[in-house]
Amino acid sequence: MENEFQLLITNTLFIMKKIKVFLVVCLLGMAATASAQFTNSKGSGSNSSDTEGWQGLRVSYHPMSMMPDGGDNVGLTGFSAGYVKGFSLSQNVPIFIEAGANILWISKDLTDDFDFDIDEDIDASAKMNVFSLDIPVNFGYKYAVNEKFSIYPYIGVNFRINAIGKIKLEAEYDGDSASESLDLFSKDDMGEAWKRFQAGWQIGVAFNINKFTIAGSYGQDFTEISKKVKLSMPSITLGYNF
């Protein structure tokens, strides 16, 4: 019985040694294959600039909407300008994290939404202006068509800090004028104050031609700007990289 047990141990050790040798051979083969693929990819004309990061300036037009829960969307007009920087995540694969900071201006003529039909001789208007800081963070892949043209699809999140928000009311009657300003972030003025901080998502694609960029994207907020109201923000963007 003791001899059979020793024989079993000996056979087991022998099999384990063979398995180790087999695994080492497999690992060496995989390493050799990966090395050959990397060498071939370099030799086939891949450009190291495909994985280089960038920085640039961006200006955007945003045909935005306020989306009340259960109500009709309200159109807004937005413009933004700012700075972005792309960080490479790999030396071999053109994947990037792009972060930026933009000043966003949102405007809306609210004259038709206010009841100014007190007197036909009164000329009244109401206009909304909001200034915010947008901080987008995107993950993307850059596909280089050639040395001058690349396509960059991306998906990401956006953080918005609403700094200033006013509704300006103006009226003129018989040569006299009056004005009043309402603070969107004041509970006293609005009853339901707007939120200072928002977060959302976006998805888009950029087309890079030399150092110039044109992009289109669409996004929505995760969080509400006011009670049961969120924003959607399509974008058309022009940019210059340096």
Side-chain angles (χ1 to χ4, degrees), residues 83-124:
Y83 168 85
V84 299
K85 186 172 179 61
F87 301 90
S88 175
L89 298 180
S90 171
Q91 294 182 351
N92 304 321
V93 181
I95 54 176
F96 301 88
I97 288 287
E98 184 184 55
N102 306 303
I103 300 298
L104 172 65
W105 170 48
I106 304 172
S107 66
K108 171 68 176 175
D109 189 339
L110 298 173
T111 303
D112 294 337
D113 298 290
F114 282 77
D115 186 8
F116 289 128
D117 297 329
I118 303 172
D119 191 312
E120 293 182 356
D121 295 329
I122 295 178
D123 184 14

Side-chain angles (χ1 to χ4, degrees), residues 67-83:
M67 304 182 300
D69 187 11
D72 295 332
N73 290 356
V74 178
L76 306 172
T77 301
F79 293 93
S80 66
Y83 168 85

Side-chain angles (χ1 to χ4, degrees), residues 147-150 206-214 239 241:
E147 292 182 357
K148 296 183 178 181
F149 179 62
S150 65
F207 301 93
N208 303 305
I209 305 171
N210 290 328
K211 293 186 176 183
F212 295 93
T213 294
I214 182 170
N241 296 326

Side-chain angles (χ1 to χ4, degrees), residues 110-144:
L110 298 173
T111 303
D112 294 337
D113 298 290
F114 282 77
D115 186 8
F116 289 128
D117 297 329
I118 303 172
D119 191 312
E120 293 182 356
D121 295 329
I122 295 178
D123 184 14
S125 65
K127 295 182 180 179
M128 181 186 74
N129 290 287
V130 180
F131 292 90
S132 306
L133 174 65
D134 268 11
I135 304 174
V137 180
N138 297 314
F139 172 81
Y141 179 92
K142 184 170 71 172
Y143 174 71

